[in-house]
Amino acid sequence: MALSSTATACAATLDEPGTVNGQVFSYISVPENRAVPESRDIDVAYLRMEGSSGGVPTFVFFGGPGESATDYDTLDTLREAYGHLLAQGDVIFVEQRGVGASRPSLDCEAIHFPMDRPVTAQSMREEHARVLPACVEAAGADMRGYTTEAIADDADAIREELGYNRINVSGGSYGAQQAYFYIRRYGEHVNRAVLTQFLIPGTSLA
């Protein structure tokens, strides 16, 4: 997989100042739906921060679904939060497809539920049915490709692009599910894994 020719490929390092936005992210172009040969390509963002040389790199998956890897104000904030991992090697923050700096963005209207009554499965279905169709149509997205397994495939494409043979994986909540799917599909490349707040795989949105 090659970096998108339309994206700014500028992998951040520990010594690079600046905000966490599209200017310091790199992109990799991947099929939106790998099961469809004629699928268009989309851009998945990732940020590589250089850690101690010679160590095994760690891929960090974020939660949600929909939590962006760009939810940090500066690279200094990331350096402080992930210093313990950077001491062991490079750290790669994987943006979910459709989220944050990835393109297209599926930044839909936020859904809010009142605090004075229970949230039911039916109420969640109704709100999603109200919000999602227009959002998906605006992005021209093939939602069959926006799965946890697809994110795992994206992460492995990034691993291959960066030339890593073995990686550590880390994630919490939905990020743990992404890491789990990566291990299940690409376990031969996994050195160690740390999964927290791990949900039962059967509850995954994959």
Side-chain angles (χ1 to χ4, degrees):
M1 294 291 182
L3 287 173
S4 169
S5 60
T6 61
T8 300
C10 180
T13 71
L14 277 173
D15 298 323
E16 181 180 340
T19 59
V20 178
N21 55 44
Q23 296 304 310
V24 296
F25 265 77
S26 292
Y27 292 84
I28 190 166
S29 291
V30 295
E32 184 172 42
N33 186 343
R34 289 179 170 89
V36 177
E38 63 274 18
S39 175
R40 68 174 180 174
D41 284 346
I42 61 173
D43 292 327
V44 173
Y46 67 92
L47 173 66
R48 172 179 171 266
M49 297 190 75
E50 291 183 0
S52 297
S53 60
V56 177
T58 298
F59 276 49
V60 178
F61 297 90
F62 288 74
E67 181 182 342
S68 173
T70 62
D71 282 345
Y72 293 85
D73 293 331
T74 65
L75 293 176
D76 286 339
T77 307
L78 278 172
R79 185 186 299 111
E80 181 179 352
Y82 290 92
H84 60 297
L85 291 179
L86 289 165
Q88 307 300 318
D90 295 348
V91 178
I92 294 81
F93 303 92
V94 181
E95 190 83 291
Q96 298 169 36
R97 50 174 50 206
V99 172
S102 292
R103 302 178 295 215
S105 172
L106 299 179
D107 188 10
C108 302
E109 174 190 341
I111 296 175
H112 301 284
F113 293 98
M115 299 294 290
D116 59 351
R117 58 180 183 270
V119 176
T120 65
Q122 179 61 28
S123 65
M124 291 183 67
R125 283 192 293 268
E126 291 173 353
E127 282 298 287
H128 282 87
R130 180 182 66 82
V131 169
L132 290 181
C135 178
V136 172
E137 182 179 359
D142 180 353
M143 293 307 295
R144 296 172 299 176
Y146 290 79
T147 67
T148 312
E149 289 183 336
I151 296 172
D153 293 339
D154 295 342
D156 198 63
I158 295 169
R159 176 201 61 78
E160 186 175 1
E161 175 71 29
L162 294 177
Y164 301 130
N165 181 43
R166 301 275 285 177
I167 64 173
N168 301 319
V169 295
S170 175
S173 189
Y174 178 61
Q177 290 200 46
Q178 295 169 61
Y180 168 81
F181 272 83
Y182 184 87
I183 295 166
R184 194 168 72 175
R185 294 171 76 81
Y186 302 103
E188 69 274 16
H189 294 296
V190 176
N191 179 57
R192 294 181 179 178
V194 176
L195 281 58
T196 62
Q197 299 171 298
F198 187 42
L199 302 177
I200 299 172
T203 66
S204 169
L205 297 182

